[in-house]
Amino acid sequence: MQTELSKRLGIEHAVFGFTPFPAVAAAISRAGGFGVLGAVRYTAPDDLKRDLDWLDAHTAGRPYGLDVVMPAKKVEGVGEADVEAMIPEGHRRFVRDTLARYGVPELAEGEASGWRITGWMEQVARTQLDVAFDYPIRLLANALGSPPADVVARAHDRGVLVAALAGSARHARKHQEAGLDIVVAQGYEAGGHTGEIATMVLTPEVVDTVDPLPVLAAGGIGSGRQVAAALSLGAQGVWLGSIWLTTTEADLHAPALTRKLLAAGSGDTVRSRALTGKPARQLRTEWTDAWDDPAGPGTLPMPLQGLLVAEAVSRIQKYEVEPLLGTPVGQIVGRLTAQRSVQAVFDDLTRGFERAVERVNRIAKRSGQS
């Protein structure tokens, strides 16, 4: 699974794996792909430094990258406390009532929420970059549009490639105009924040729009034949996220969540604003249903929604309240039927890719003989 981009980065397979878990990112790089660590959960610079130290020591010298979330629009002089003050009391009451209805225990006295959304704020992302640029990262990816021009310049000064996700050809063109090096065409099927265009349609549109900029296909990809299809559409690699959630190296801290992922079908996800305020594909749960119910107060815009539900999500996860327990995940969740190591996932991807290419080659050969 080699392309010009994979050769440029010195990786064996053009498989880019996004994950919030350092152990998974390291295993992806060791398996010949390109591990990308999600930084959004790191609100303390020392925590990110600790995990980058670990990642650097466990990638066997293979390249890896970092994914941050920097909103396209910046609001000057607004901190977390200012944002918290904007949350209506009616929404806070709705959260309390919903948790009480399902008997979700409180956190212990003095225990801080383990899940915060402050990583969606630009000033937090900038502190993450101040740490990350001291490490040999080879790629910086942004999930919410093109990073600010000064961030792109800082990355390029250090020889770091810059990528951004795009849900439309229009967004992809903006990334190209901003001087980015890679566009990730993320289709409707993907986990997390997604647009409304399916991967099969979006990928060639983006490839044609930003040519000769390399494009990675994302969304609904979890097998070798799907990788082959993505490369056939003109992509120079694939960007995979959901497929790693049930690997043995992943640390979800919730056996019940792993069970739900393994039991879910491709129709058991929903695009909901319940988690962050922007449409994000995730497991459908009674929590997402409550927020999407017209009888409820409705979700708040980003980052208000994320701040509002941060403690609630931590409580749901800690106590594994199954009716409410969910996670961002794509429609490919239907293929997650057993826990496997990252290496086993790669073995399956490469074998499936080889079979798909051989099949297409046989068809092409027969067509040429007719």
Side-chain angles (χ1 to χ4, degrees):
M1 296 188 287
Q2 281 263 315
T3 65
E4 290 181 15
L5 180 60
S6 66
K7 292 176 182 176
R8 179 180 179 183
L9 288 168
I11 58 177
E12 185 178 357
H13 306 298
V15 174
F16 294 71
F18 164 80
T19 174
F21 307 116
V24 175
I28 291 168
S29 291
R30 291 198 306 271
F34 192 99
V36 182
L37 179 66
V40 70
R41 66 191 180 95
Y42 295 99
T43 56
D46 286 347
D47 291 342
L48 178 59
K49 184 178 187 305
R50 176 201 64 217
D51 282 359
L52 286 175
D53 282 337
W54 188 93
L55 190 59
D56 209 35
H58 290 82
T59 49
R62 306 288 183 88
Y64 61 91
L66 192 74
D67 179 279
V68 297
V69 178
M70 302 189 77
K73 295 181 180 179
K74 179 180 179 180
V75 180
E76 296 286 356
V78 177
E80 182 178 347
D82 301 304
V83 177
E84 287 266 16
M86 301 177 189
I87 298 173
E89 177 56 31
H91 282 73
R92 294 187 187 276
R93 185 168 55 251
F94 179 76
V95 170
R96 291 194 299 268
D97 291 347
T98 303
L99 295 179
R101 188 162 64 250
Y102 288 89
V104 183
E106 298 275 355
L107 295 176
E109 186 175 352
E111 182 179 358
S113 167
W115 186 89
R116 297 297 288 167
I117 203 67
T118 49
W120 300 97
M121 303 176 73
E122 181 177 335
Q123 60 266 39
V124 176
R126 285 185 177 275
T127 64
Q128 294 166 349
L129 294 178
D130 290 339
V131 171
F133 282 140
D134 286 336
Y135 291 82
I137 62 171
R138 294 290 306 280
L139 175 71
L140 173 66
N142 188 40
L144 288 180
S146 302
D150 68 296
V151 171
V152 176
R154 283 181 71 188
H156 286 168
D157 286 346
R158 290 163 174 78
V160 177
L161 299 181
V162 182
L165 277 62
S168 70
R170 178 173 58 86
H171 292 152
R173 187 179 298 109
K174 288 183 177 180
H175 296 337
Q176 185 179 41
E177 292 169 352
L180 273 59
D181 307 287
I182 301 168
V183 174
V184 181
Q186 179 167 273
Y188 172 82
E189 306 94 322
H193 296 118
T194 66
E196 298 183 354
I197 305 173
T199 303
M200 182 65 76
V201 174
L202 179 65
T203 301
E205 282 187 358
V206 172
V207 167
D208 292 344
T209 298
V210 302
D211 184 62
L213 214 61
V215 172
L216 302 177
I221 301 172
S223 69
R225 53 187 162 174
Q226 290 169 315
V227 176
L231 299 190
S232 298
L233 294 173
Q236 288 203 32
V238 293
W239 178 275
L240 309 183
S242 299
I243 196 172
W244 317 111
L245 286 173
T246 55
T247 55
T248 53
E249 293 88 348
D251 189 9
L252 288 176
H253 297 295
L257 180 54
T258 299
R259 290 196 299 270
K260 289 187 75 170
L261 288 169
L262 294 176
S266 56
D268 292 327
T269 69
V270 63
R271 284 174 77 241
S272 171
R273 298 177 183 267
L275 188 62
T276 68
K278 284 183 175 291
R281 186 171 296 285
Q282 54 203 281
L283 275 182
R284 182 177 180 178
T285 67
E286 293 183 31
W287 178 255
T288 62
D289 286 349
W291 282 105
D292 295 338
D293 188 339
T299 55
L300 297 169
M302 179 186 281
L304 298 181
Q305 181 71 15
L307 288 169
L308 169 65
V309 304
E311 182 181 318
V313 171
S314 289
R315 289 165 60 185
I316 292 166
Q317 291 176 344
K318 177 178 179 178
Y319 299 110
E320 299 189 63
V321 184
E322 292 206 32
L324 306 180
L325 188 61
T327 185
V329 68
Q331 291 180 331
I332 200 66
V333 68
R335 291 189 64 87
L336 307 182
T337 57
Q339 285 190 280
R340 299 179 294 166
S341 68
V342 168
Q343 184 61 62
V345 172
F346 264 91
D347 292 343
D348 183 58
L349 290 172
T350 54
R351 285 194 297 265
F353 178 83
E354 290 169 357
R355 288 194 296 267
V357 171
E358 289 171 358
R359 184 163 55 249
V360 171
N361 284 340
R362 286 196 301 271
I363 294 171
K365 184 177 180 179
R366 287 197 298 268
S367 298
Q369 293 172 345
S370 61

